[in-house]
């Protein structure tokens, strides 16, 4: 996944290697540069912070998964099954970096800044995973899908971290179970969203009718006033 001749890639790989062997607080930019066999100046030219390196790693994972799914070209009609395939492919791609991800997750649970640093990458990654599965990511439905998918992914990610089976049996079972429950929840959410849209349309139509009625009343009042002002004097 990484090119050993590319300093940019060597920095990312060195960071993950060090993160798998040391506490994240000990993975300094100097140590990363040394492990990647680049100067600090070269490291700075590629990345401003360790967070940027982790974001680049997450983006590379996204790209590899998206490429594999495109090459597969064997998508099922069922959205849940498509997302299952996408997320299992993601876990497979991340497998070589599990030691680093275990330590990073441990650091995040201790309340270190790495948890906040990675939050945006998780949401970004899940948006792309949903797109790969052909699931809506825009509007009210899209936001609900993104939140639901991210919650499922994070739960199963914890299972994956402790799943030492090469076939990822526990991970597959957890993901399937979560997605099935999530599918039912999304059906309820979709119903609620449809209901909200119905109420919104009714309210909008009601307001529009009120405005039209008010405008008609105003026109009638102006017409009445104009007729009264221009009327000929009546004999007394």
């Amino acid at each position: 996944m990484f090119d050993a001749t590319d300093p940019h890639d060597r920095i990312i790989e060195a960071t993950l290697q060090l993160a798998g062997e040391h506490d994240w607080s000990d993975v300094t930019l100097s140590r990363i540069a040394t492990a990647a066999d680049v100067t600090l100046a070269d490291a700075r030219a590629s990345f401003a912070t360790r967070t940027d390196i982790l974001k680049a790693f997450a983006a590379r994972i996204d790209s590899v998964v998206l490429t594999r799914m495109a090459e597969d070209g064997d998508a099922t009609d069922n959205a849940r099954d498509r997302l299952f395939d996408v997320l299992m492919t993601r876990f497979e791609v991340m497998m070589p970096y599990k030691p680093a991800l275990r330590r990073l997750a441990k650091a995040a649970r201790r309340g270190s800044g790495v948890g906040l640093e990675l939050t945006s990458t998780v949401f970004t990654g899940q948006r792309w995973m949903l797109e790969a599965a052909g699931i809506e990511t825009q509007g009210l439905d899209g936001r609900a899908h993104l939140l639901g998918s991210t919650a499922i992914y994070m739960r199963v990610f914890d299972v994956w971290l402790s799943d030492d089976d090469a076939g990822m049996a526990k991970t597959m079972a957890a993901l399937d179970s979560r997605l099935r429950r999530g599918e039912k929840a999304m059906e309820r959410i979709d119903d609620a969203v449809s209901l909200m849209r119905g109420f919104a349309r009714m309210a909008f139509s009601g307001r529009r009718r009120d405005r039209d009625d008010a405008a008609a009343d105003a026109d009638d009042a102006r017409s009445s006033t104009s007729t009264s002002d221009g009327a000929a004097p009546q004999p007394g």
Side-chain angles (χ1 to χ4, degrees), residues 14-220:
T15 301
L16 272 294
Q17 182 67 34
L18 290 170
E21 300 169 352
H22 307 279
D23 286 340
W24 183 239
S25 59
D26 295 327
V27 182
T28 64
L29 291 168
S30 296
R31 294 184 76 170
I32 292 170
T34 299
D37 194 25
V38 300
T39 66
L40 271 176
D42 288 336
R44 178 62 184 86
S46 294
F47 302 101
T49 65
R50 296 183 308 169
T51 301
D52 289 340
I53 300 174
L54 294 178
K55 286 181 177 179
F57 167 69
R60 186 66 59 87
I61 294 292
D62 293 345
S63 296
V64 173
V65 174
L66 294 172
T67 299
R68 288 196 185 182
M69 298 312 298
E71 290 172 348
D72 245 3
D74 193 20
T76 173
D77 289 335
N78 185 282
R80 185 194 68 240
D81 290 344
R82 291 197 304 270
L83 187 56
F84 177 88
D85 290 341
V86 171
L87 294 181
M88 284 307 301
T89 299
R90 187 179 187 87
F91 287 127
E92 181 184 337
V93 171
M94 294 191 302
M95 189 73 79
Y97 310 100
K98 185 179 281 191
L101 294 172
R102 277 175 174 159
R103 284 184 171 270
L104 287 169
K106 185 178 179 180
R109 284 193 290 268
R110 286 201 307 262
S112 73
V114 69
L116 293 175
E117 291 169 0
L118 294 176
T119 298
S120 64
T121 67
V122 173
F123 275 104
T124 299
Q126 284 306 295
R127 186 180 296 279
W128 283 107
M129 298 305 98
L130 287 170
E131 291 284 350
I135 297 174
E136 179 62 56
T137 63
Q138 303 300 319
L140 282 175
D141 289 342
R143 283 193 286 274
H145 295 157
L146 180 58
L147 289 172
S149 175
T150 301
I152 290 170
Y153 174 75
M154 292 307 297
R155 294 276 189 174
V156 180
F157 179 78
D158 284 340
V159 175
W160 174 77
L161 287 177
S162 61
D163 186 359
D164 293 324
D165 175 30
M168 297 186 287
K170 291 180 181 177
T171 303
M172 291 176 67
L175 181 58
D176 182 63
S177 174
R178 292 279 177 183
L179 285 176
R180 287 183 186 279
R181 276 187 277 171
E183 184 178 44
K184 292 177 182 177
M186 283 309 306
E187 288 173 357
R188 292 194 293 270
I189 291 173
D190 288 343
D191 289 344
V193 169
S194 297
L195 189 61
M196 288 167 57
R197 284 176 176 156
F199 281 134
R201 283 194 295 269
M202 289 170 60
F204 177 76
S205 298
R207 286 196 298 269
R208 186 168 56 188
R209 284 196 299 272
D210 289 344
R211 285 198 301 270
D212 291 345
D213 290 344
D217 289 343
D219 288 341
D220 289 344

